[in-house]
Structure formats: C-alpha cells, structure tokens
Amino acid sequence: KKEVTLPLTDEMTDKWLEEFLYPEKTMEGSGYRPIDFEYIHKELGKKNVTLTLLHHEYEVQCRAENAIPYAYRSFIRHYRKYAEKHKATMRIKRKPGEILEVDWAGSTGTLIDRDTGEKVKVYVFVATFPSSQLSYVEGFLSMNLTSWITAHRHAYDYFGGVSEVLVPDNLKTGVQENTRKQLVLNPTYKDMANHYGTFVMPARVKYPKDKASVEGSVRTISTWIIAAMRHTQCFTLKEWNDVAKEKLEEFNHRDFTKREGSRWSAFLEEEKSYLSPLPPTPYQMSEWLTAKVQPDYHISVKSQFYSVPYEYISQQVDVRVTDHLIEVFYNHMRIASHSRLYGKYGRQSTNRDHMP
C-alpha cells in the first residue's frame, strides 16, 4: 500500500490521482513500452551508470521487442516524477567503491606506562566505506600528520584497494582551508592522495550529513572496540592494536541485524571489485618545506645543504623531503633532486651541472 498525504485541490480528479499514484498503468495504455522505474532507480546506484546509458539500453530493448520507446526527454520527465514521489521513503545508497570516509574517533583508548603506571591516551583512526559499512581501525599516540598519513596507508592495505574519493573531516592535519571559494590541502596529504590515485573532498563545515557513515561507525566502534577494551590492560601501542584488530574482525564479520550477511561479505560481494588497485609501492611519508636559494646556489634543508641550478639564486622554492630523497620544485616544476644527507651539520650535496 502507498500512503500519501496531500492537500486536496480542484484539479485532483480521480484521473489525476490515478496518474499520480500509478504512472505505470497510464503508460500501459499509451502505446509506449512502460519504464521499469524500480530497475532504473536501482541501476543508478551503480558506479558510472547514468540516465543517458539507461535510456539507450531501454531503446535497444524496445527495438528487440518491436515496442515503441519513450524519447529521452519523456523518459527523464517520467523518471523525475517517480523519484520526486518516492525519494522521501527510498534509501539512496552510495555507489560501491566511490567514497571512503575517514576521521578520528571522539573517544580514546588507554595504555598503561610500565614505569610510572600512568594512563596514556590512544587516539583512534576510523575509515569506513558508506556502501558496505566495512571499517578499519588503528590506534596512535598522536593525531599528528605522520599518524594521519600512516593510518591511511594501512587502511588501504587492509581494504586491498583505493576508493575514487576520500572524505576527511576538516582537520588541520589534512585540510588547511575549506571555504566556498578555496580548498587548500596539506601538501603531504595531497601528495599521498596523488600517489594512490584518489582525490580529497573534505566534508563541508557545519554539514555532519556529509560524513554520516563514518560518524555512525565511530559511535558503533566506540562501543564495540574502544569500550569493549576498557578492562584490557595494554602496555604498548602494538599490544593495544593487536587486541583492537581482533575486535575489528569480530565487528566486520558480525551479521547485520536487518539484512543478510556482514560488513565483510557485503564488501567482498558488492564493493571490492569497484576499487582501484593499490600502487606498486606504498606511499613514502614526505614533508614539504620552503627554502630560499642562497648566493652559492645551495639551499639549507634540515641543517644540510643541496645545490640547485644557479639561475634560481634568490628564488623561493618548494622542497619535498623523504627519508631518502630531497626534491626541489619551482612553480611546480622539479629543478633538482639529491639523496638525503645525514650526519654532522653542514654537509653538502653539489651537482656540477648546477654551477655557474
């Protein structure tokens, strides 16, 4: 049964009500092949499926059955009427593999310092796919940039693939500015997203529905993992994460209450095939700095000195620093690279081609 509450007007005749409530019946008498609205609505939830594609398939099917198809404009108009009537009660699912939502849980775990007996906070990272609701959890002793990037790298390894879009909260560790006019990502976070072939779309400020899935998962995980570990004594972060991993597997494999299967089975059946493959090597943590090229055509990075082409003397440059490599950029173009130097202050790496 369909229950609809509408203010009655003079134009709402029996014929009008019949067309409004049962558009399929009206179509049957028109001579055109009826549109399967439920099928259209379901297919639109799949990756890369559009109304244009569905109308094309509808036309092909009509030709095969010698039936008259609706033109594209009529097809769209009828579907929109259907969607407007049903959207209040129909659940719009996220497209599989499209979005991965990430956040820090509001609740924290606890470690015990062996030497002092002091309680140490464990900050909990949560990543969730809205479609299957599969989640990943990991604890850290800090919410700094290194922890944030490491958490993403481990989450991608756990899922075995990468989503099209990454939706973080507006944390300064990942997002420096997010306004209607401008989005400025932390350079390291942007570099990581480029490495994995995804793009970052932060949740809008004051719009919690943008991250409804991860917010819901954070609350559930706070109960099933963090709260469930309240009586477990852990003395190292590894111990805490080992226990959390066991709880996470229970959480992801636990049967759904209102539908068949679990988060894990839903992920394998509906979502994993839509993920992009992992890159050949994991992302290597990098740090972005700025430096000014000195008159001796070298820049100072972490108390060591590296040459750049002498034409850039007095210019401001961007420097990407990893454990093993120094890369120098000017206006987004790489102008020099060096193996990173360690040891006593003031060591130099000079490329003869950079000399005047």
Side-chain angles (χ1 to χ4, degrees), residues 63-79:
R63 286 194 215 103
E65 298 173 359
N66 292 319
I68 304 172
Y70 279 97
Y72 179 71
R73 279 185 154 184
S74 299
F75 182 88
I76 296 296
R77 187 178 71 253
H78 286 305
Y79 174 72

Side-chain angles (χ1 to χ4, degrees), residues 294-313:
Q294 300 303 314
D296 65 356
Y297 60 92
H298 283 68
I299 59 172
S300 174
V301 180
K302 305 285 186 180
S303 302
Q304 311 294 357
F305 297 89
Y306 304 88
S307 69
V308 300
Y310 72 91
E311 294 92 344
Y312 296 96
I313 288 174

Side-chain angles (χ1 to χ4, degrees), residues 12 28 45-46 64 71 81 97 103-104 106 112 123 128-129 135 144 187 215 238 243 294 309 331:
M12 292 183 179
E28 286 173 6
K46 296 180 180 179
K81 282 184 179 179
D103 201 358
W104 291 106
I112 298 175
Y123 300 96
T128 298
F129 280 108
S135 294
N144 62 16
E215 295 289 354
K238 183 180 183 305
V243 177
Q294 300 303 314
N331 286 343

Side-chain angles (χ1 to χ4, degrees), residues 129-148:
F129 280 108
S131 181
S132 64
Q133 293 293 304
L134 187 73
S135 294
Y136 174 77
V137 171
E138 187 173 355
F140 294 87
L141 296 180
S142 168
M143 291 193 292
N144 62 16
L145 182 61
T146 301
S147 300
W148 183 244

Side-chain angles (χ1 to χ4, degrees), residues 76 159 165 234 249 252 353:
I76 296 296
F159 297 130
V165 182
C234 298
E249 292 309 303
N252 281 333
D353 292 338

Side-chain angles (χ1 to χ4, degrees), residues 10-42:
D10 292 338
E11 68 172 357
M12 292 183 179
T13 62
D14 289 346
K15 186 176 186 304
W16 185 96
L17 287 170
E18 183 180 28
E19 289 180 357
F20 179 81
L21 293 173
Y22 305 103
E24 303 90 344
K25 187 174 180 181
T26 306
M27 287 179 178
E28 286 173 6
S30 67
Y32 292 94
R33 188 185 189 282
I35 302 167
D36 188 342
F37 291 118
E38 289 190 14
Y39 170 79
I40 298 295
H41 195 78
K42 182 181 177 182

Side-chain angles (χ1 to χ4, degrees), residues 257-299:
T257 304
K258 296 182 179 180
R259 59 171 173 146
E260 291 184 4
S262 64
R263 289 171 171 81
W264 185 255
S265 64
F267 172 74
L268 293 180
E269 293 168 12
E270 304 169 10
E271 193 146 43
K272 189 170 183 180
S273 61
Y274 290 105
L275 300 183
S276 299
L278 293 170
T281 57
Y283 175 71
Q284 186 178 16
M285 180 69 186
S286 63
E287 182 181 3
W288 284 87
L289 307 170
T290 57
K292 186 175 182 180
V293 183
Q294 300 303 314
D296 65 356
Y297 60 92
H298 283 68
I299 59 172

